[in-house]
Amino acid sequence: ERYEESIEVANAWAADAPKMSSGVAVLQARNYYDIEQYDKALEWIDQAFATGDEPQRAWYQIRVNSLYSLERYDDAISYLTELLAKQPGQADFLNLLVNSYIEKEDYTNALRVLVEAQA
């Protein structure tokens, strides 16, 4: 729970590093998410994705949950739709997409996604 200290250390590391590390970027995203600075969390998680390292499921969750927290449901829906186009049938992404529609109170589309997934 020493987020500010963790942020400072990671910022110092990133300033001196020749290349961004996905681990540091994810740590920063998590730090900012935990202190409810969701815009900063999105910036850092996007840096993690930009490293080219193999993304972990938690990265997607941090990104989508940050969008939820900012009430950017349409952005979450668009992002998850793109992910599902690349990786069809991924249950985690389908669940997040359904939850995005529910958060937006768009129950018709939530049901549509569930019915399509069931088929």
Side-chain angles (χ1 to χ4, degrees):
E1 295 182 12
R2 295 167 52 183
Y3 303 114
E4 296 299 330
E5 184 178 340
S6 180
I7 288 169
E8 288 177 27
V9 169
N11 279 338
W13 183 93
D16 290 336
K19 179 182 171 195
M20 176 53 69
S21 159
S22 63
V24 171
V26 171
L27 171 67
Q28 285 294 70
R30 188 77 176 160
N31 283 332
Y32 282 112
Y33 182 83
D34 288 341
I35 61 172
E36 300 178 1
Q37 291 186 22
Y38 305 114
D39 284 324
K40 287 260 193 203
L42 285 170
E43 289 174 27
W44 281 97
I45 203 63
D46 286 343
Q47 286 188 45
F49 281 109
T51 66
D53 291 348
E54 183 69 29
Q56 305 296 309
R57 293 271 183 223
W59 300 14
Y60 299 110
Q61 291 172 329
I62 291 170
R63 190 167 202 293
V64 171
N65 288 339
S66 294
L67 290 170
Y68 285 175
S69 297
L70 293 167
E71 297 182 5
R72 291 174 46 189
Y73 306 120
D74 289 331
D75 290 339
I77 289 165
S78 176
Y79 178 66
L80 290 162
T81 301
E82 289 175 23
L83 287 176
L84 282 165
K86 294 175 187 173
Q87 301 177 45
Q90 289 291 321
D92 292 347
F93 298 154
L94 283 167
N95 286 333
L96 288 169
L97 181 57
V98 169
N99 286 337
S100 297
Y101 281 118
I102 290 170
E103 289 291 330
K104 187 180 172 182
E105 297 182 8
D106 184 348
Y107 306 113
T108 302
N109 277 314
L111 183 59
R112 177 189 55 78
V113 169
L114 287 171
V115 169
E116 288 173 4
Q118 185 179 22

